[in-house]
Amino acid sequence: MADITYPWGHEGRYNDFPSYFKKRFAERIQKVSIDAGFTCPNRDGSKGVGGCTYCNNNSFNPEYCSPRKTITRQIEEGIDFFKAKYKAQKYLAYFQAYSNTYGHIDKIKELYEEALAHEKVVGLVIGTRPDCVSNEVLDYLEELAKHHYIAIEYGVESANDEALLAINRGHTYIEAERTIQRTANRGIHIGVHLVNGLPHDSKEDMLNHAIELSKLPIETLKLHQLQILRNTQMAKEYEQNPEPFYMFELDEYLDFIVSVIERINPDVMLERFTNQAPPGWLIAPKWGLKNYQFVNKLNNLLKERNTWQGKLFER
């Protein structure tokens, strides 16, 4: 191993996002989640109703998040939430709930600028859909990015239109690809999100989705296993017929993630591999493992197999 030089500049076997952040900022940075009251086009009737079949926003929204509170108050309560655990740090305002570019540009500006006005906020992370980002919004974010850390996270979820249709996503993969290209070269940090295990996606499909996305001008990739959550349309579908859903066993998913890491672009930073639903929300799969425990197992497996990110990547 002594003769291997990793392009990301540290000894880890993949290009991990936390290591980048330690270099990028002189102090610890923490995301503070915000629910700004946005919705989605597959919820409000413009493209559909009900939202994505797997989505239950309550399963990942912290208790302090509520659109009934101002942006400033949510930031303050978020800081108080993390203060006991972490000291002397700055924050990124994470517009997380639903599609946070889906609205009038004036309202978007008002909300983002309220967040950036907070003395401890150094930037924004904006979760949204690839079909909800106008050029006007991108032009605005490009201006903000000249003075702040601005990241946009696109929920791509799958590169298979049949899978996207099955989960009531309301957009196609080509829309995602085109939006990523429109966002590139603006100083905006681009992240994408994939769900592994959706109906109509084989394991080979999922692997190819990650490979193809890593060839696009993205900076970070978030992956997680499909989780069936209570009080969702998907939970009803799963109860009626579990066959279309790919429920990974833990060891199988670890092996799958190693295959992804080996084959994706080494320039792309990996931000997450799994999702962990709060107790009481999860129907399947039940691994009984925290995120950091999964990462420890993954690192051990990469060492055991003497492999690393991009080892088998073909440009």
Side-chain angles (χ1 to χ4, degrees), residues 31 54 88 112 114 123 195 202 204 219 255 267 273 296 298 300:
K31 289 180 185 176
Y54 58 77
Y112 291 0
E114 181 181 351
V195 179
S202 68
E204 184 180 5
E219 214 171 80
D255 184 73
D267 296 333
F273 303 109
N296 288 341
L298 177 63
N300 289 335

Side-chain angles (χ1 to χ4, degrees), residues 4-280:
I4 294 175
T5 302
Y6 298 118
W8 44 89
H10 60 78
E11 294 181 359
R13 290 172 180 261
Y14 57 88
N15 191 0
D16 70 294
F17 189 59
S19 294
Y20 160 77
F21 246 49
K22 289 176 183 177
K23 293 178 182 178
R24 175 74 166 71
F25 295 99
E27 54 196 319
R28 193 181 188 284
I29 303 295
Q30 176 67 47
K31 289 180 185 176
V32 176
S33 295
I34 291 170
D35 185 340
F38 288 98
T39 184
C40 300
N42 62 349
R43 285 182 174 274
D44 67 5
S46 61
K47 286 193 172 182
V49 293
C52 301
T53 60
Y54 58 77
C55 183
N56 187 327
N57 191 63
N58 293 326
S59 69
F60 61 82
N61 233 13
E63 289 186 10
Y64 63 82
C65 286
S66 170
R68 294 186 296 274
K69 301 175 184 176
T70 65
I71 300 300
T72 302
R73 184 178 171 189
Q74 290 184 66
I75 291 171
E76 291 290 348
E77 291 185 11
I79 289 173
D80 289 341
F81 178 82
F82 289 109
K83 192 182 293 182
K85 192 173 182 181
Y86 307 114
K87 295 180 180 179
Q89 62 183 3
K90 296 291 186 180
Y91 296 85
L92 295 173
Y94 185 13
F95 286 79
Q96 183 179 19
Y98 303 118
S99 301
N100 291 274
T101 57
Y102 185 50
H104 193 278
I105 186 66
D106 292 340
K107 185 62 176 179
I108 289 170
K109 288 181 178 181
E110 177 187 334
L111 295 169
Y112 291 0
E113 286 167 22
E114 181 181 351
L116 289 170
H118 194 284
E119 63 179 358
K120 291 190 175 181
V121 170
V122 296
L124 307 176
V125 180
I126 301 156
T128 193
R129 296 159 50 103
D131 58 337
C132 293
V133 184
S134 66
N135 286 331
E136 187 177 24
V137 168
L138 290 176
D139 290 343
Y140 169 62
L141 294 179
E142 184 175 2
E143 286 300 310
L144 289 182
K146 293 176 181 177
H147 307 286
H148 307 278
Y149 179 92
I150 304 295
I152 192 162
E153 292 185 355
Y154 289 122
V156 176
E157 317 311 4
S158 173
N160 177 2
D161 286 347
E162 194 176 5
L164 295 174
L165 182 63
I167 62 172
N168 193 38
R169 187 66 186 169
H171 66 75
T172 62
Y173 174 68
I174 194 64
E175 288 178 86
E177 196 170 285
R178 287 170 178 165
T179 299
I180 290 167
Q181 297 290 0
R182 284 194 294 120
T183 311
N185 303 313
R186 291 174 176 267
I188 302 166
H189 302 271
I190 305 172
V192 297
H193 182 262
L194 282 174
V195 179
N196 297 307
L198 295 176
H200 307 293
D201 276 347
S202 68
K203 194 154 58 169
E204 184 180 5
D205 290 334
M206 299 173 219
L207 178 58
N208 288 331
H209 297 168
I211 294 168
E212 291 309 307
L213 270 175
S214 80
K215 295 177 181 178
L216 296 177
I218 67 171
E219 214 171 80
T220 61
L221 175 62
K222 282 185 176 181
L223 302 163
H224 77 69
Q225 79 285 18
L226 176 65
Q227 293 186 301
I228 310 296
L229 303 178
R230 299 189 188 281
N231 303 324
T232 62
Q233 177 60 33
M234 185 171 282
K236 296 176 185 176
E237 295 170 359
Y238 182 75
E239 183 179 4
Q240 292 170 359
N241 181 20
E243 190 66 28
F245 303 91
Y246 201 106
M247 293 286 104
F248 280 94
E249 298 292 338
L250 175 58
D251 287 343
E252 181 189 18
Y253 191 66
L254 280 162
D255 184 73
F256 170 74
I257 292 297
V258 169
S259 295
V260 170
I261 288 173
E262 288 178 319
R263 288 164 175 81
I264 65 169
N265 188 342
D267 296 333
V268 171
M269 290 177 283
L270 290 163
E271 189 169 356
R272 190 178 73 194
F273 303 109
T274 62
N275 202 20
Q276 187 179 335

